[in-house]
Amino acid sequence: MATILGVESTCDETAASVVIDGYDVRSNAVASQAELHAKYRGVVPEIACRAHVENIIPVLRESLATAEISLNSIDALSVAHRPGLIGSLLIGVTAAKTLAWSLGKPLIGVDHVHAHLYSVVLETNQAPPMPAVGLVCSGGHTALYEVNDWLDVRLIGSTIDDAVGEAYDKVAAILGLGYPGGPILDRLAEQGDPKAIRFPRSLLDRDSLDFSFSGLKTAVLYHVRGVPRRGESVKQEPNPTIDPQGLADIAASFQAACIDVLIRKIRRAAGKIGARSIIIGGGVSANRGLRAALTDFEVPVFFPPLRYCTDNAAMSAGLAHICFDRKQFSSLSLDAITYSQFLE
Ligand code: KG4
Ligand code: ZN
């Protein structure tokens, strides 16, 4: 039984968490920067990096205080060291290394995307039968994985343009609804008719496990502001004639298109690898429509508890427990890496 202090700073959340035995979450401190980035409708790397510097020590203190544990009782430090924004990653990696070195405890670097998949184990201690299809869907990623073991995760498909969460954020911006767009559109969709507008579903080639969401986003843009004539650019202002029901119908129809594509690709992937279960993680795994649509799927589907869908450090501290058990430690020369290992 190991107690691991995890650190997360890959994008715009500064987080620290104490997890025992890979699932028993004793604290989950998260400092969100959403407000800082809201007016830019997306994450500004330089602002994110500076905010991590300010937040990292208070967040570490909070995670230890909530867990009622001292630094000396920690068995290892974990940090999500890839993929992410380089400036952001460096803050978490440096903090975790410094603690590991000064305490004389092992350091464990984990992949943030793999950790999103592992988040289904947190608190629940459930064990999805493997091989599983893993889907990580967030603001930065939409990718399918063959998961044979928590440390044997193979990329089998990914988006060729926008991530699905990014499409939610952009569509919310088009509709003038605020940031992040996912939770807003998810709520709005419940009041709308998913069949009101037939938005396109991009499935790419017959066998493809890749995704494309930029056409769907553009279809929403044209629906709202009109298709520009040749040589003209699209109108800048949202169409003032959209009434509340019209907005809800757009949200529901957009969400239906996203869910339809995600489920069809999951099914394709499951058939290809003979999956015994499906594991879904990342910010978009909080989506109520997606959860509802997968209740009666052919094989069991595992979602994380809601608080572990978006970025947090508990998922990396949990996954690091597997590494700890197998004595797979990182050296103090661990690097921050902007991309996932599969692209190396
Ligand atoms: O995992 P995450 O915190 O950060 C990344 O690694 O990207 O995911 C954030 C993304 C945002 O794009 C947000 O709009 C989306 O997850 N999101 C949702 C929902 N909650 C968050 N998308 C759809 N429905 C939701 N309920
Ligand atoms: Zn993430």
Side-chain angles (χ1 to χ4, degrees):
M1 195 161 98
T3 302
I4 297 184
L5 172 59
V7 178
E8 154 69 41
S9 71
T10 58
C11 186
D12 64 338
E13 262 97 20
T14 323
S17 169
V18 175
V19 178
I20 299 180
D21 229 7
Y23 73 94
D24 181 3
V25 183
R26 294 299 171 93
S27 64
N28 181 35
V30 184
S32 170
Q33 304 173 7
E35 265 176 37
L36 288 179
H37 302 287
K39 68 173 167 189
Y40 306 103
R41 297 180 188 157
V43 177
V44 183
E46 182 64 21
I47 294 175
C49 169
R50 284 165 192 265
H52 284 307
V53 174
E54 284 172 18
N55 293 338
I56 190 79
I57 301 289
V59 160
L60 279 162
R61 278 193 207 285
E62 184 190 331
S63 71
L64 291 165
T66 307
E68 295 180 349
I69 220 162
S70 72
L71 274 177
N72 285 326
S73 325
I74 300 295
D75 294 306
L77 275 299
S78 80
V79 61
H81 75 116
R82 68 174 181 228
L85 302 169
I86 191 68
S88 293
L89 287 163
L90 280 169
I91 311 305
V93 169
T94 306
K97 275 186 190 177
T98 308
L99 283 170
W101 174 76
S102 59
L103 296 165
K105 311 269 177 177
L107 174 71
I108 301 168
V110 302
D111 187 299
H112 172 85
V113 180
H114 297 185
H116 266 304
L117 293 172
Y118 185 88
S119 63
V120 302
V121 181
L122 298 174
E123 286 181 17
T124 62
N125 202 17
Q126 55 195 353
M130 293 184 187
V133 164
L135 169 70
V136 175
C137 43
S138 68
H141 314 276
T142 303
L144 285 165
Y145 300 89
E146 177 180 338
V147 187
N148 293 304
D149 173 274
W150 290 120
L151 299 182
D152 178 4
V153 177
R154 195 169 69 86
L155 181 70
I156 52 175
S158 63
T159 183
I160 59 168
D161 41 55
D162 291 350
V164 63
E166 189 180 355
Y168 268 90
D169 295 336
K170 287 179 177 169
V171 164
I174 291 166
L175 299 174
L177 293 174
Y179 172 86
I184 302 169
L185 288 171
D186 191 10
R187 242 175 286 125
L188 198 56
E190 287 186 334
Q191 284 127 47
D193 174 6
K195 295 206 172 84
I197 308 137
R198 176 79 195 169
F199 286 128
R201 275 98 166 128
S202 174
L203 295 173
L204 304 171
D205 290 344
R206 246 173 67 89
D207 287 336
S208 172
L209 296 178
D210 291 333
F211 299 91
S212 167
F213 288 102
S214 75
L216 172 58
K217 166 205 68 192
T218 307
V220 177
L221 179 72
Y222 288 175
H223 177 82
V224 173
R225 299 185 195 168
V227 182
R229 287 213 219 113
R230 193 183 268 262
E232 280 180 7
S233 52
V234 74
K235 281 190 232 128
Q236 287 304 308
E237 293 308 311
N239 185 343
T241 57
I242 309 177
D243 58 25
Q245 189 56 50
L247 267 186
D249 285 346
I250 295 172
S253 302
F254 163 74
Q255 176 146 304
C258 290
I259 293 173
D260 202 11
V261 169
L262 291 175
I263 293 184
R264 286 207 231 173
K265 295 283 174 164
I266 290 172
R267 191 169 278 124
R268 257 185 211 176
K272 273 195 183 169
I273 71 160
R276 295 174 60 214
S277 70
I278 311 295
I279 301 167
I280 306 192
V284 183
S285 69
N287 188 271
R288 298 187 225 187
L290 181 63
R291 287 178 178 238
L294 282 165
T295 40
D296 290 321
F297 199 68
E298 296 89 288
V299 291
V301 182
F302 295 83
F303 282 99
L306 281 180
R307 60 187 152 283
Y308 306 119
C309 291
T310 45
D311 287 352
N312 64 82
M315 61 189 195
S316 88
L319 180 57
H321 189 264
I322 309 265
C323 305
F324 187 91
D325 270 353
R326 299 182 195 175
K327 300 196 171 29
Q328 294 184 12
F329 301 122
S330 307
S331 79
L332 286 176
S333 60
L334 181 75
D335 257 342
I337 302 173
T338 52
Y339 42 82
S340 229
Q341 65 177 17
F342 316 104
L343 304 175
E344 281 171 34

